[in-house]
């Protein structure tokens, strides 16, 4: 992956234009993850601009939320990664104008990859989607 050969861990710490978490991306989701125990957690409330079908968040955004959450969980574990594989199970439609609770955690790792899992729920506990990802390690922090 030659695009990252020149990058350092410092370059990867803040990504202001990231579509999912970038604070300076005016069309992005601006997710704010926090580290709670062994999990990365965040909230997101989709609006009508995030819909696919009427009143339902676009499935691609569901995938994006899980990808970003798992990436943050892996980063909190000391790895800088890119997604190699992501499998998403859509359980229920994600309604717009309802807060979504996003969480993810690391399941295992090898020398080259990290496996993480995540889920998206409504505040009442309803499972919207869950997923599992294999992440390719770019850097490991010491």
């Amino acid at each position: 992956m030659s695009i990252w050969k020149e990058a350092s861990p410092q370059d990867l710490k803040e990504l202001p234009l990231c579509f999912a978490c970038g604070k300076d991306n005016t069309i992005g989701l601006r997710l704010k993850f926090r580290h709670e125990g062994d999990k990365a957690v965040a909230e997101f409330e989709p609006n009508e601009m995030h819909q696919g079908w009427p009143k339902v968040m676009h499935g691609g955004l569901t995938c994006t939320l899980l990808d970003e959450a798992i990436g943050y969980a892996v980063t909190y574990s000391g790895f800088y990664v890119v997604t190699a594989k992501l499998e998403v199970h859509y359980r229920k439609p994600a309604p717009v104008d309802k807060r979504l609770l996003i969480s993810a955690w690391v399941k295992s790792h090898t020398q080259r990859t990290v496996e993480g899992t995540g889920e998206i729920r409504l505040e009442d506990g309803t499972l919207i989607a869950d997923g599992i990802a294999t992440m390719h390690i770019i850097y490991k922090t010491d």
Side-chain angles (χ1 to χ4, degrees):
M1 299 188 133
S2 62
I3 193 168
W4 291 284
K5 283 184 180 178
E6 303 293 323
S8 71
Q10 186 60 37
D11 295 331
L12 302 173
K13 284 190 179 189
E14 188 174 321
L15 303 168
L17 294 178
C18 173
F19 176 75
C21 68
K23 64 181 174 45
D24 297 335
N25 188 328
T26 58
I27 64 165
L29 304 177
R30 296 185 182 179
L31 297 170
K32 293 180 182 172
F33 281 91
R34 59 190 181 279
H35 195 183
E36 290 186 3
D38 64 346
K39 293 183 180 180
V41 297
E43 294 85 30
F44 180 70
E45 188 169 321
N47 62 49
E48 65 183 9
M49 298 305 289
H50 300 115
Q51 66 188 348
W53 287 100
K55 301 184 184 201
V56 175
M57 185 173 73
H58 191 283
L61 292 178
T62 302
C63 186
T64 300
L65 296 176
L66 286 170
D67 183 47
E68 192 74 2
I70 296 168
Y72 263 85
V74 171
T75 299
Y76 291 149
S77 295
F79 301 96
Y80 289 94
V81 297
V82 292
T83 306
K85 179 180 174 183
L86 175 62
E87 182 177 328
V88 176
H89 298 110
Y90 297 88
R91 308 298 183 171
K92 301 271 186 194
V96 297
D97 300 327
K98 296 264 184 178
R99 190 164 75 123
L100 303 174
L101 307 176
I102 310 155
S103 62
W105 54 95
V106 172
K107 291 185 71 172
S108 63
H109 70 84
T110 67
Q111 188 174 356
R112 296 183 56 155
T113 64
V114 182
E115 185 174 282
T117 191
E119 63 183 27
I120 302 171
R121 293 183 179 271
L122 294 176
E123 289 184 286
D124 69 4
T126 301
L127 182 62
I128 297 299
D130 56 1
I132 188 164
T134 301
M135 306 293 213
H136 176 77
I137 298 170
I138 300 170
Y139 291 104
K140 181 178 184 328
T141 60
D142 295 323

